Amino acid sequence: MPPKGTAQRRLLKEYQQLTKDAPEGIVAGPVSEDNLFVWDCLLEGPEGTPYENGVFPARLVFPSDYPLSPPKLTFTPAILHPNIYANGEVCISILHPPGEDPNQYERAEERWSPVQNVEKILLSVMSMLSEPNVESGANIDACKLWRDDRKAFEEQVRSDVRKSLGL
């Protein structure tokens, strides 16, 4: 396992890069200068989706052996989405441990690898909001609603967006 300093240097570098040149709709950084392993994020809902106009807070928690292992990303509060567990934790390939998928849903190259970074993770999550993967759902109720009654799914998400904005 690499020394903690390696992970801290990598996280500091990624934070500096994001501060300099963040993708549109993404704000992220460490909760405190004393702990680079816990970040707060704000993700804007992608245009043309029911999440549009929403601003969704999330927390990224990095393991001590980052970047060898992936961080966990959790929306706080949870949002309705097929690939987000009821507790808010995001379930997408890029955040799954490296190697072969024991369930054989994902190819190894879709899963975490040390070449990934915070920006790629957050862009992948924004893409996931636009295009859920209902074949590999984390929230079965959201998957069923999305598949069986898209209109009701979208209305629920829009209602959650309005609530999150205090409207």
Side-chain angles (χ1 to χ4, degrees), residues 20-71:
K20 219 172 32 189
D21 188 25
E24 195 173 321
I26 294 174
V27 177
V31 172
S32 81
E33 290 179 16
D34 300 335
N35 183 359
L36 295 176
F37 291 89
V38 179
W39 290 30
D40 278 340
C41 311
L42 290 174
L43 301 176
E44 208 174 279
E47 229 176 271
T49 73
Y51 302 96
E52 185 174 10
N53 300 320
V55 177
F56 305 100
R59 177 145 288 178
L60 256 176
V61 178
F62 298 88
S64 60
D65 68 344
Y66 181 81
L68 298 179
S69 297

Side-chain angles (χ1 to χ4, degrees), residues 36-145:
L36 295 176
F37 291 89
V38 179
W39 290 30
D40 278 340
C41 311
L42 290 174
L43 301 176
E44 208 174 279
E47 229 176 271
T49 73
Y51 302 96
E52 185 174 10
N53 300 320
V55 177
F56 305 100
R59 177 145 288 178
L60 256 176
V61 178
F62 298 88
S64 60
D65 68 344
Y66 181 81
L68 298 179
S69 297
K72 280 197 182 326
L73 179 69
T74 306
F75 280 98
T76 55
I79 59 178
L80 181 69
H81 189 281
N83 306 115
I84 299 173
Y85 290 102
N87 69 358
E89 189 177 328
V90 172
C91 177
I92 56 172
S93 302
I94 192 174
L95 293 177
H96 294 160
E100 293 300 318
D101 177 10
N103 301 316
Q104 301 182 336
Y105 284 120
E106 306 161 333
R107 297 187 314 273
E109 60 271 17
E110 295 173 321
R111 295 166 69 87
W112 179 258
S113 82
V115 301
Q116 308 293 7
N117 61 30
V118 173
E119 181 176 327
K120 285 181 186 169
I121 293 166
L122 297 176
L123 288 171
S124 294
V125 171
M126 297 276 281
S127 176
M128 174 202 79
L129 290 176
S130 298
E131 298 174 34
N133 177 359
V134 292
E135 300 306 312
S136 176
N139 182 329
I140 301 308
D141 293 336
C143 284
K144 285 178 68 172
L145 191 58

